[in-house]
């Protein structure tokens, strides 16, 4: 039976917990012990875990989280190097790390080297000494890291591990409300959600679902319509809605019809604050006015769907830029988790709402741009700026 993705917490909304360690240190076995399920492949053959493997679960009282089982960082050979690079790429995504030590080896240089890398990335780390059933004599250098002593095989120490993991995660990783800074209980909110070719048949797109759920949690009074029903719906209100949230593609149309008593924003603008740095995005939008025909612009899109007619990131935004700057303006579009190595060559980066990424990863992308001095903005902020209405949009 197929899994109903609408009933699951999206991966991007889960706390990302990376599990690091040497090959066959028991990382996969530990995931199974924590979840009390056989969800990770366990083998005595070194290198069984190749690409990072994501295992979503509920961990009380943390809630929805995803454990990321990585390849051993002492992997050898050319393929091993590639696996290690993929493990390093995770550092921008994980919220918490677990470093696994085991008595299968006597030299822990790799573990301590990676601990330094994790500390440099400001990632909270919990050290774990696994396979205590094999050897409970823990080396002094590991004891200094105050490890949790466990046996994944016998499930010894797993409850203590969960307890310390919960303490490490704490409340710092609770994502804020998406709309709570604009509305509260009893406020009327109107969502304008075009159901066009980019909206998957039979369901709403993810930002619409997340914002609708957030509003329901706030106990707001929510109405959802398509663009063509805007005027009819507004006429039916006894008093104008406190907030109107629209798809950025119809920003101008909705703006022209928004009552002066109502606040206006978009799904993408709200996601910009929720997942990224709204102030950086707004500042970055000033670079639009400075673009010249010889500049290069990069559009970063988290989704990897096939290009569609009228696609906002791959067609609409490039067309808007070329119409304003020059038909010859170079606009590159990159989808998925990778960003170009020549990021510094661009004069502006325009990022999607980031609903498919966790907040830490979106912020790491913004940080890379800031480090290189490249302005970065967001789809919704970009469209509002191009339409001359950014100053009137609530963010």
């Amino acid at each position: 039976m197929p899994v109903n993705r609408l009933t699951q917490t999206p991966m991007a909304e889960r706390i990302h917990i990376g599990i690091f360690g040497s090959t066959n240190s028991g990382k996969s076995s530990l995931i199974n012990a924590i979840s009390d399920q056989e969800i990770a492949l366990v083998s005595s053959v070194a290198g069984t875990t190749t690409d990072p493997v994501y295992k979503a679960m509920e961990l009380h009282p943390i809630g929805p989280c995803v454990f990321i089982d990585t390849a051993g960082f002492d992997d050898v050979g050319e393929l091993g190097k590639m696996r290690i690079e993929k493990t390093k790429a995770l550092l921008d995504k994980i919220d918490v790390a677990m470093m696994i030590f085991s008595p299968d080896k006597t030299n822990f240089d790799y573990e301590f080297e990676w601990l330094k890398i994790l500390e440099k990335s400001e990632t909270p780390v919990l050290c774990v000494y696994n396979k205590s059933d094999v050897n409970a004599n823990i080396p002094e250098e590991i004891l200094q890291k105050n490890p949790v002593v466990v046996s994944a095989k016998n499930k010894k120490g797993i409850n203590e591990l969960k307890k310390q993991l919960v303490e490490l995660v704490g409340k710092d990783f609770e994502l804020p409300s998406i709309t709570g800074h604009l509305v509260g209980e009893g406020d009327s909110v109107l969502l304008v959600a075009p159901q066009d070719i980019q909206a998957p048949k039979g369901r709403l797109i993810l930002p619409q679902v997340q914002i609708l759920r957030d509003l329901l949690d706030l106990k707001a009074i929510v109405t959802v319509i398509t663009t063509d029903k805007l005027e009819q719906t507004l006429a039916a209100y006894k008093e104008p809605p406190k907030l109107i949230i629209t798809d950025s593609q119809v920003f101008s149309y909705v703006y022209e019809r928004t009552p002066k008593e109502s606040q206006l924003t978009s799904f993408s603008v709200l996601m910009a604050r929720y997942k990224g740095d709204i102030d950086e995005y707004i500042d970055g939008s000033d670079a639009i006015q400075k673009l010249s025909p010889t500049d290069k612009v990069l559009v970063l899109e988290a989704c990897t769907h096939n290009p569609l007619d009228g696609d906002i990131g791959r067609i609409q935004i490039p067309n808007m830029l070329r119409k304003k700057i020059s038909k010859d303006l170079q606009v590159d579009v990159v989808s998925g988790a990778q960003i170009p190595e020549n990021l510094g060559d661009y004069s502006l980066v325009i990022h999607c709402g980031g609903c498919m990424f966790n907040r830490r990863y979106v912020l790491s992308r913004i940080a890379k741009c800031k480090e290189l001095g490249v302005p970065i903005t967001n789809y919704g902020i970009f469209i509002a700026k191009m339409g001359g209405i950014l100053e009137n949009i609530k963010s």
Side-chain angles (χ1 to χ4, degrees):
M1 179 180 294
V3 177
N4 183 357
R5 299 297 180 186
L6 295 180
T7 64
Q8 292 188 335
T9 301
M11 193 72 77
E13 297 301 294
R14 295 174 179 268
I15 294 171
H16 285 46
I17 303 173
I19 301 187
F20 299 81
S22 297
T23 53
N24 277 41
S25 58
K27 300 186 297 296
S28 300
S29 297
L30 200 57
I31 290 179
N32 291 339
I34 292 172
S35 65
D36 201 25
Q37 301 176 54
E38 296 298 316
I39 62 174
L41 177 63
V42 177
S43 172
S44 60
V45 178
T48 300
T49 302
T50 54
D51 291 344
V53 180
Y54 292 69
K55 303 294 181 181
M57 67 182 77
E58 301 283 327
L59 184 61
H60 181 77
I62 295 175
C65 59
V66 56
F67 283 86
I68 308 174
D69 190 5
T70 67
F73 43 55
D74 57 345
D75 210 341
V76 295
E78 193 61 34
L79 182 58
K81 291 180 181 179
M82 295 173 63
R83 292 169 178 167
I84 293 170
E85 286 305 311
K86 288 194 174 184
T87 298
K88 287 182 178 179
L90 288 173
L91 296 178
D92 290 336
K93 296 182 180 180
I94 59 172
D95 298 306
V96 175
M98 293 171 59
M99 178 61 67
I100 314 302
F101 297 86
S102 86
D104 292 338
K105 54 188 295 188
T106 56
N107 186 306
F108 299 99
D109 289 347
Y110 283 114
E111 282 81 354
F112 285 103
E113 178 183 344
W114 273 80
L115 276 176
K116 291 180 180 179
I117 294 173
L118 288 164
E119 291 168 358
K120 186 177 181 180
S121 67
E122 299 183 350
T123 304
V125 182
L126 178 64
C127 290
V128 180
Y129 183 81
N130 192 21
K131 301 187 180 181
S132 60
D133 56 293
V134 175
N135 187 347
N137 295 319
I138 307 173
E140 179 62 30
E141 58 181 340
I142 299 176
L143 282 174
Q144 292 178 4
K145 296 297 181 180
N146 298 315
V148 183
V149 181
V150 304
S151 167
K153 179 180 179 180
N154 298 333
K155 296 189 177 180
K156 174 186 174 183
I158 298 301
N159 287 336
E160 178 63 23
L161 171 59
K162 291 180 180 179
K163 178 183 176 182
Q164 292 204 29
L165 191 58
V166 169
E167 292 176 355
L168 187 65
V169 170
K171 294 187 178 297
D172 293 339
F173 295 97
E174 289 185 3
L175 289 171
S177 166
I178 307 174
T179 60
H181 62 295
L182 297 176
V183 294
E185 183 173 349
D187 287 332
S188 294
V189 182
L190 177 60
L191 306 186
V192 183
Q195 299 305 292
D196 53 20
I197 191 173
Q198 296 185 69
K201 186 175 179 59
R203 63 185 178 91
L204 299 172
I205 61 175
L206 185 55
Q208 294 169 357
V209 173
Q210 290 177 301
I211 289 172
L212 177 58
R213 172 56 196 265
D214 185 66
L215 289 166
L216 293 176
D217 287 342
L218 292 171
K219 299 188 182 301
I221 302 171
V222 187
T223 303
V224 185
I225 62 168
T226 52
T227 313
D228 57 311
K229 299 299 181 183
L230 177 60
E231 293 184 0
Q232 180 181 342
T233 305
L234 287 173
Y237 274 99
K238 183 177 181 180
E239 295 180 358
K242 181 171 183 180
L243 177 65
I244 298 177
I245 305 172
T246 182
D247 189 289
S248 297
Q249 297 179 76
V250 291
F251 238 150
S252 295
Y253 178 89
V254 177
Y255 174 75
E256 292 170 359
R257 291 159 177 78
T258 297
K260 64 179 185 301
E261 299 90 347
S262 302
Q263 303 176 93
L264 175 64
T265 189
S266 79
F267 296 103
S268 183
V269 170
L270 289 174
M271 294 305 292
R273 173 181 289 277
Y274 182 59
K275 287 294 181 73
D277 185 332
I278 187 67
D279 294 328
E280 194 67 31
Y281 284 147
I282 291 174
D283 290 344
S285 69
D286 291 338
I288 298 170
Q289 308 299 328
K290 303 173 184 177
L291 291 174
S292 69
T294 58
D295 286 329
K296 293 167 58 178
V297 177
L298 176 63
V299 176
L300 286 179
E301 186 172 63
C303 300
T304 56
H305 59 265
N306 293 325
L308 302 170
D309 185 31
D311 189 282
I312 183 171
R314 308 180 200 192
I315 296 176
Q316 291 192 38
I317 287 177
N319 286 347
M320 292 170 69
L321 281 167
R322 290 180 180 127
K323 183 178 180 181
K324 178 179 177 60
I325 309 300
S326 167
K327 63 181 179 61
D328 299 319
L329 180 70
Q330 181 175 338
V331 182
D332 297 331
V333 181
V334 175
S335 302
Q338 302 302 317
I339 58 177
E341 293 183 1
N342 64 331
L343 185 63
D345 294 344
Y346 292 93
S347 299
L348 175 65
V349 172
I350 306 173
H351 205 290
C352 69
C355 64
M356 301 301 293
F357 294 149
N358 64 334
R359 177 174 169 80
R360 180 178 172 94
Y361 188 46
V362 176
L363 289 174
S364 75
R365 288 181 153 203
I366 295 173
K368 283 185 174 70
C369 288
K370 290 180 66 174
E371 183 180 346
L372 295 170
V374 179
I376 182 171
T377 191
N378 154 277
Y379 281 16
I381 299 296
F382 168 83
I383 292 174
K385 185 76 170 184
M386 291 289 284
I389 61 174
L390 181 57
E391 294 75 13
N392 300 314
I393 299 303
K394 293 294 183 180
S395 58

